[in-house]
């Protein structure tokens, strides 16, 4: 049986023999290079068609010096917020014959530079979402990763295109929503201390000065972090809480349900990102909506421009959109 399969396997050598040319000539024709005489190229293509020859994708990538793959590096693939950008990126890249290789650092900051470099060696370009990576290390790394697009960072310089979120404005909108409902003492379940987006969120709170009582509670970025913080939230005396992201907020909602705490009657809860699950929780989660799929599409547009020797569009910052749902209500008056 193995011998029979070998007889039916058509190779580049078979095409070369039938067309009366060298294997190198067949390779150049199949890779679309214009250095082959038109008549010879037509003869090669005819021979390939008659033999039903399909060139090896791996061999073609080596010949062209491209893998037709781009890397997408994220800190936590369990967070659905990163799925939207991945979907937008994948769908847009597929139109040009590219596929997306996804790598997850699992919130291990020290792994981000290593994984980014290793992924870049296997891919033609990168989309890097590394909100925890220290600024100096990020600046040092970017030239080695080029072409690269940064997601979810604030503008640093013009060395690489950046598509970011105005986290501070999203927080301000959430706080205005809560104060409009009569809340004055608000707890914040803070994200990872080294997170650039967490620092931006904190700046959003600062603009309210003494008009609110802010209780910042160290937390994290995962479901379990929000679940574990329920006791501290209740002990804080806050009437409302804003979580670092929707994932943390959902973890908190689960714990509050277990404790018999009514939301929003006793405590209002808001998240950030507007992941797909947010509108289906009970109660549905108030949040700041981030256009993740659009970010992925725009990231590909920038990469595609760079891969073709063009200058990409400038960096852009997106303002989140407040989505008020039933997890927030009027402050309880005892």
């Amino acid at each position: 049986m193995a011998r029979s399969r070998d007889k039916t396997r058509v190779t580049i050598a078979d095409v070369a023999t039938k067309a009366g040319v060298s294997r190198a000539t067949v390779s150049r024709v199949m890779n679309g290079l214009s250095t082959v005489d038109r008549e010879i190229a037509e003869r090669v293509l005819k021979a390939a068609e008659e033999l039903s020859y399909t060139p090896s994708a791996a061999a073609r990538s080596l010949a062209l010096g491209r893998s037709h793959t781009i890397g997408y590096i994220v800190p936590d693939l369990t967070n659905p917020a990163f799925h939207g950008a991945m979907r937008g990126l994948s769908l847009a890249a597929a139109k040009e014959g590219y596929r997306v290789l996804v790598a997850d650092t699992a919130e291990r900051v020290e792994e981000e530079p290593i994984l980014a470099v290793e992924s870049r060696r296997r891919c033609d370009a990168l989309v890097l979402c590394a909100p925890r990576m220290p600024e100096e290390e990020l600046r040092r790394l970017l030239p080695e990763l080029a072409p690269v697009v940064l997601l979810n960072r604030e503008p640093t310089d013009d060395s690489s295109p950046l598509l970011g979120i105005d986290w501070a404005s999203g927080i301000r909108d959430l706080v205005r929503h809560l104060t409009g409902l009569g809340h004055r003492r608000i707890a914040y379940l803070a994200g990872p201390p080294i997170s650039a987006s967490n620092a931006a969120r904190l700046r959003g709170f600062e603009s309210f000065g003494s008009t609110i009582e802010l209780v910042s509670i160290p937390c994290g970025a995962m479901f379990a972090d929000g679940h574990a913080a329920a006791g501290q939230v209740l002990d804080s005396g806050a009437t409302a809480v804003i979580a670092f992201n929707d994932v943390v907020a959902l973890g908190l909602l689960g714990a509050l349900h277990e404790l018999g705490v009514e939301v929003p009657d006793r405590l209002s809860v808001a998240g950030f990102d507007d992941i797909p699950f947010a509108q289906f929780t009970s109660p549905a989660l108030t949040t700041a909506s981030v256009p993740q799929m659009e970010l992925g599409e725009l990231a590909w547009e920038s990469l595609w421009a760079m891969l073709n020797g063009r200058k990409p569009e400038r960096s852009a910052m997106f303002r989140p959109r407040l989505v008020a749902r039933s997890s927030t209500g009027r402050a309880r008056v005892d």
Side-chain angles (χ1 to χ4, degrees):
M1 294 297 292
R3 184 175 300 172
S4 176
R5 282 196 300 269
D6 288 342
K7 287 182 179 180
T8 62
R9 183 182 299 129
V10 179
T11 67
I12 193 172
D14 297 324
V15 178
T17 299
K18 186 173 182 63
V21 298
S22 68
R23 284 180 290 180
T25 298
V26 175
S27 177
R28 289 196 294 272
V29 172
M30 300 311 294
N31 287 320
L33 302 180
S34 58
T35 56
V36 182
D37 180 80
R38 181 176 178 180
E39 182 180 343
I40 294 176
E42 290 177 351
R43 193 163 77 234
V44 169
L45 291 172
K46 182 179 180 181
E49 182 179 3
E50 292 176 353
L51 294 172
S52 299
Y53 170 70
T54 302
S56 163
R60 188 171 189 273
S61 294
L62 287 172
L64 295 176
R66 284 191 177 184
S67 66
H68 282 81
T69 303
I70 56 174
Y72 177 55
I73 314 297
V74 298
D76 177 20
L77 201 53
T78 65
N79 186 340
F82 297 114
H83 299 178
M86 179 173 65
R87 181 171 177 79
L89 178 65
S90 298
L91 291 175
K95 294 177 182 178
E96 303 296 343
Y98 272 75
R99 296 294 179 262
V100 178
L101 172 68
V102 182
D104 176 9
T105 62
E107 293 289 353
R108 298 191 301 270
V109 179
E110 69 279 3
E111 291 291 320
E112 288 183 343
I114 300 170
L115 195 57
V117 171
E118 289 181 351
S119 298
R120 178 62 182 88
R121 289 171 181 167
R122 292 168 171 79
C123 302
D124 297 334
L126 282 186
V127 174
L128 178 62
C129 183
R132 326 284 191 249
M133 190 182 296
E135 186 72 24
E136 290 185 6
E137 188 162 22
L138 180 62
R139 287 174 179 268
R140 177 190 60 78
L141 197 62
L142 288 178
E144 186 176 354
L145 300 179
V148 58
V149 173
L150 292 176
L151 283 189
N152 295 355
R153 295 287 295 231
E154 291 189 324
T156 54
D157 54 39
D158 296 327
S159 62
S160 298
L162 183 147
L163 300 171
I165 303 298
D166 189 348
W167 309 107
S169 71
I171 288 293
R172 287 193 290 268
D173 287 344
L174 286 169
V175 173
R176 291 189 190 102
H177 168 67
L178 291 171
T179 55
L181 293 171
H183 297 279
R184 292 295 177 267
R185 187 170 178 81
I186 300 172
Y188 171 56
L189 291 184
I194 60 174
S195 167
S197 62
N198 184 63
R201 285 165 167 84
L202 288 171
R203 288 197 295 274
F205 284 110
E206 290 172 0
S207 61
F208 291 91
S210 60
T211 60
I212 64 169
E213 295 180 65
L214 178 65
V215 182
S216 184
I217 299 173
C219 187
M222 307 179 84
F223 289 104
D225 297 325
H227 190 276
Q232 288 178 273
V233 171
L234 295 175
D235 291 341
S236 72
T239 60
V241 57
I242 298 175
F244 173 71
N245 59 27
D246 287 348
V247 168
V248 171
L250 295 186
L252 175 63
L253 283 176
L256 293 175
H257 177 74
E258 294 167 8
L259 295 170
V261 177
E262 295 182 352
V263 176
D265 292 345
R266 182 176 170 189
L267 182 71
S268 286
V269 177
F272 208 118
D273 285 334
D274 197 21
I275 63 175
F277 305 141
Q279 62 180 313
F280 301 114
T281 58
S282 182
L285 184 66
T286 291
T287 187
S289 183
V290 174
Q292 292 289 356
M293 190 161 177
E294 184 179 354
L295 285 174
E297 294 169 350
L298 292 176
W300 170 250
E301 289 182 13
S302 292
L303 284 183
W304 184 238
M306 290 187 285
L307 287 169
N308 287 280
R310 303 193 307 271
K311 187 175 180 180
E313 293 294 324
R314 62 181 178 83
S315 299
M317 293 289 285
F318 293 83
R319 176 168 181 159
R321 176 176 56 87
L322 174 68
V323 180
R325 298 193 179 107
S326 53
S327 68
T328 52
R330 297 207 64 82
R332 181 175 178 175
V333 179
D334 294 323

